[in-house]
């Protein structure tokens, strides 16, 4: 059956709105990670720099603890009242949180309350992010044809990964244009304050998409809450989504958040230069997402993810070993690591919406994704720093990535079995 031009236009608009919205959300959310080396001594002063950094990264991790709550709230809105309404709401929450981050007083001004406010704002950002990715993946999947799920689904990871790249670029730009003293006093606030105009732009884009939720479908079907449907009727799907999310996020976040810290604090590269290295590596990974989507539709998303996990398993340690051989080689090694993430992210964002039924899909994807993020995503930079401090081996985070890659490969075997069962039934 030919694909009508109207359907093609609808899918393109959905992909654009989902991708751009996720880019803005993850730009806002990831800035804290890139600016942790600046924020740490301001909000967590200590005679030991690593203690300040670990404290700042612990706050980075707390934002992930409320992501399932965001997934529940926004998932309920999306499954009951429309994907579009929920996705608009997540943007507003993130925009408010990021603007507030840029306006926060420091402990030098109001004492301990500044740190409390920092945690509260990070929790608001985590709450918002909890509803964004699941909604974007669901919305795009429902708008795309069956033969191009990965091609259009790639816009969600392109947006999320691109958000990290944009955050690194803006942080690098501000760092290059300011002195160390200016960066410590007011420069770090500028990237957060840019969230407001970016959020307004994305809200305008999302007003132009067509809703994929049919409210009349609720009348003739189940009346249980989407959350109950996911936990009580689709536990296997939730377990598979959680396992894949943990593997994908844990491997990805080493590159997205920890690698800049590694290059700066462990290998001694200049901070501004590292921002640009991160921008290059993560930006290339983001731009490669559409290619990954085309490949996923051609060879299958499970095979695509298998290749990505094998790449992490085989290449992470040697690539991290090369990073001490100059910034040029460090950049190449960083790119190689991140390209593995391109494969795993495109695959998982395409697969997850297919696990759950339509009435609880937004909630199911959001819950599986966010629980997995808590297990291995938000904790990844903290675990990486802790491993280095505990073992004395600056390459020890590579073993964390390799273990997660093995876990991901095992999880994929259950997905293959699921697809085989569905095909034969």
């Amino acid at each position: 059956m030919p694909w009508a031009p109207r359907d093609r236009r609808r899918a393109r608009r959905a992909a654009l709105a989902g991708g751009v919205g996720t880019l803005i959300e993850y730009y806002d959310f990831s800035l804290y990670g890139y600016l942790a080396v600046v924020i740490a001594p301001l909000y967590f002063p200590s005679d030991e720099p690593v203690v300040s950094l670990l404290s700042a990264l612990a706050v980075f991790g707390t934002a992930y603890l409320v992501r399932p709550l965001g997934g529940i709230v926004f998932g309920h809105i999306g499954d009951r009242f429309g994907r579009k309404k929920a996705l608009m709401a997540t943007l507003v929450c993130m925009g408010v949180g990021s603007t507030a981050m840029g306006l926060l007083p420091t402990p030098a001004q109001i004492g301990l309350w500044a740190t409390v406010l920092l945690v509260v704002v990070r929790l608001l950002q985590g709450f918002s992010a909890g509803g964004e990715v699941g909604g974007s993946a669901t919305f795009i999947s429902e708008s795309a044809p069956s033969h191009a799920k990965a091609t259009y689904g790639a816009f969600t990871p392109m947006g999320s990964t691109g958000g990290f790249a944009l955050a690194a670029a803006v942080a690098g730009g501000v760092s290059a244009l300011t002195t160390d003293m200016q960066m410590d006093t007011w420069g770090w606030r500028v990237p957060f304050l840019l969230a407001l105009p970016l959020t307004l732009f994305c809200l305008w884009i999302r007003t132009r998409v067509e809703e994929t939720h049919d409210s009349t479908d609720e009348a003739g079907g189940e009346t249980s809450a989407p959350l109950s449907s996911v936990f009580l009727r689709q536990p296997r799907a939730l377990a598979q989504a959680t396992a894949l999310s943990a593997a994908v996020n844990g491997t990805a976040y080493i590159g997205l958040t920890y690698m800049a810290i590694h290059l700066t604090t462990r290998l001694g590269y200049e901070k501004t230069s590292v921002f640009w290295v991160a921008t290059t590596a993560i930006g290339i990974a983001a731009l490669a997402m559409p290619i990954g989507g085309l490949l996923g539709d051609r060879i299958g998303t499970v095979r695509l993810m298998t290749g990505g996990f094998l790449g992490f398993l085989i290449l992470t340690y040697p690539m991290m070993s090369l990073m001490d051989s100059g910034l040029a080689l460090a950049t190449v090694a960083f790119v190689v690591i991140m390209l593995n993430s391109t494969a795993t992210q495109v695959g998982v964002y395409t697969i997850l919406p297919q696990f759950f039924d339509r009435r609880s899909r937004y909630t199911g994807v959001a819950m599986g994704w966010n629980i997995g993020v808590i297990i291995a995503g938000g904790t990844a930079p903290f675990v990486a720093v802790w491993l280095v401090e505990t073992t004395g081996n600056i390459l020890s985070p590579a073993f964390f990535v390799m273990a997660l890659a093995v876990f991901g490969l095992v999880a994929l075997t259950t997905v293959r079995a699921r697809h085989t069962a569905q095909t034969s039934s």
Side-chain angles (χ1 to χ4, degrees), residues 62-71 122-127 130 374:
T62 61
Y64 289 84
L65 296 178
V66 296
R67 284 182 63 149
L69 179 59
R122 281 300 292 171
L123 291 175
L124 177 61
Q125 289 184 313
F127 178 78
I374 289 177

Side-chain angles (χ1 to χ4, degrees), residues 237-250:
L238 180 61
Q240 289 176 313
T242 299
L244 288 176
S245 171
V248 170
N249 280 293

Side-chain angles (χ1 to χ4, degrees), residues 179-254:
T179 64
D180 288 343
M181 182 176 295
Q182 290 172 333
M183 191 68 179
D184 292 342
T185 53
W186 57 266
W188 66 272
R189 300 178 182 274
V190 174
F192 289 108
L193 294 175
L194 288 174
L196 183 58
L198 291 174
T199 299
L200 293 175
F201 171 70
C202 187
L203 282 172
W204 173 74
I205 290 179
R206 286 193 168 173
T207 61
R208 299 169 57 82
V209 299
E210 296 181 38
E211 179 61 72
T212 60
H213 172 77
D214 183 5
S215 60
T216 61
D217 187 47
E218 297 294 336
E222 66 179 81
T223 58
S224 61
L227 184 64
S228 299
S229 176
V230 170
F231 276 95
L232 299 179
R233 303 184 185 185
Q234 303 170 83
R236 183 187 178 193
L238 180 61
Q240 289 176 313
T242 299
L244 288 176
S245 171
V248 170
N249 280 293
T251 51
Y253 269 76
I254 288 295

Side-chain angles (χ1 to χ4, degrees), residues 64 242-259 309 312 316 337-338 341 344-345 369 371-384 397-405 407-408:
Y64 289 84
T242 299
L244 288 176
S245 171
V248 170
N249 280 293
T251 51
Y253 269 76
I254 288 295
L256 293 173
T257 58
Y258 172 72
M259 209 57 74
F309 283 133
F312 274 122
T316 301
I337 291 173
M338 287 306 303
S341 184
T344 57
Q345 287 192 71
W369 185 258
I371 296 172
V373 167
I374 289 177
I375 293 172
T379 58
F382 183 91
V383 170
F399 296 109
F400 174 70
V401 173
M402 293 162 69
L404 286 169
F407 180 71

Side-chain angles (χ1 to χ4, degrees), residues 126-400:
F127 178 78
S128 171
E132 171 62 29
V133 168
S136 177
T138 297
F139 185 63
I140 293 174
S141 180
E142 292 176 348
S143 302
S146 58
H147 67 274
K149 293 289 186 185
T151 299
Y152 286 96
F155 278 79
T156 297
M158 183 169 69
S160 60
T161 305
F164 279 91
L166 180 61
V170 173
V174 173
S175 177
L177 294 172
T178 58
T179 64
D180 288 343
M181 182 176 295
Q182 290 172 333
M183 191 68 179
D184 292 342
T185 53
W186 57 266
W188 66 272
R189 300 178 182 274
V190 174
F192 289 108
L193 294 175
L194 288 174
L196 183 58
L198 291 174
T199 299
L200 293 175
F201 171 70
C202 187
L203 282 172
W204 173 74
I205 290 179
R206 286 193 168 173
T207 61
R208 299 169 57 82
V209 299
E210 296 181 38
E211 179 61 72
T212 60
H213 172 77
D214 183 5
S215 60
T216 61
D217 187 47
E218 297 294 336
E222 66 179 81
T223 58
S224 61
L227 184 64
S228 299
S229 176
V230 170
F231 276 95
L232 299 179
R233 303 184 185 185
Q234 303 170 83
R236 183 187 178 193
L238 180 61
Q240 289 176 313
T242 299
L244 288 176
S245 171
V248 170
N249 280 293
T251 51
Y253 269 76
I254 288 295
L256 293 173
T257 58
Y258 172 72
M259 209 57 74
I261 295 172
H262 176 74
L263 293 172
T264 304
T265 63
R266 303 301 178 189
L267 301 183
Y269 293 116
E270 196 268 329
K271 183 168 57 180
T272 301
S273 298
V274 169
F275 280 135
W276 295 119
V277 170
T279 300
T280 300
I282 299 172
I284 289 173
L287 293 174
M289 294 292 179
I291 299 174
L294 291 170
L295 185 60
D297 282 324
R298 185 176 182 84
I299 68 173
T301 49
V302 172
R303 289 181 180 175
L304 181 68
M305 292 185 71
T306 298
F309 283 133
L310 286 174
F312 274 122
L313 181 62
I314 297 169
L315 297 172
T316 301
Y317 189 89
M319 289 302 105
M320 286 191 70
S321 300
L322 286 175
M323 288 183 170
D324 199 19
S325 303
L327 211 52
L329 269 179
T331 304
V332 173
F334 199 165
V335 170
V336 171
I337 291 173
M338 287 306 303
L339 286 177
N340 295 314
S341 184
T342 295
T344 57
Q345 287 192 71
V346 169
V348 79
Y349 281 115
T350 305
I351 289 174
L352 259 56
Q354 300 174 41
F355 285 177
F356 302 93
D357 66 52
R358 190 178 185 88
R359 292 191 184 94
S360 57
R361 184 172 294 146
Y362 195 134
T363 301
V365 175
M367 290 305 298
W369 185 258
N370 290 320
I371 296 172
V373 167
I374 289 177
I375 293 172
T379 58
F382 183 91
V383 170
V385 172
W386 178 82
L387 281 172
V388 173
E389 291 299 311
T390 302
T391 65
N393 180 2
I394 64 171
L395 300 180
S396 56
F399 296 109
F400 174 70

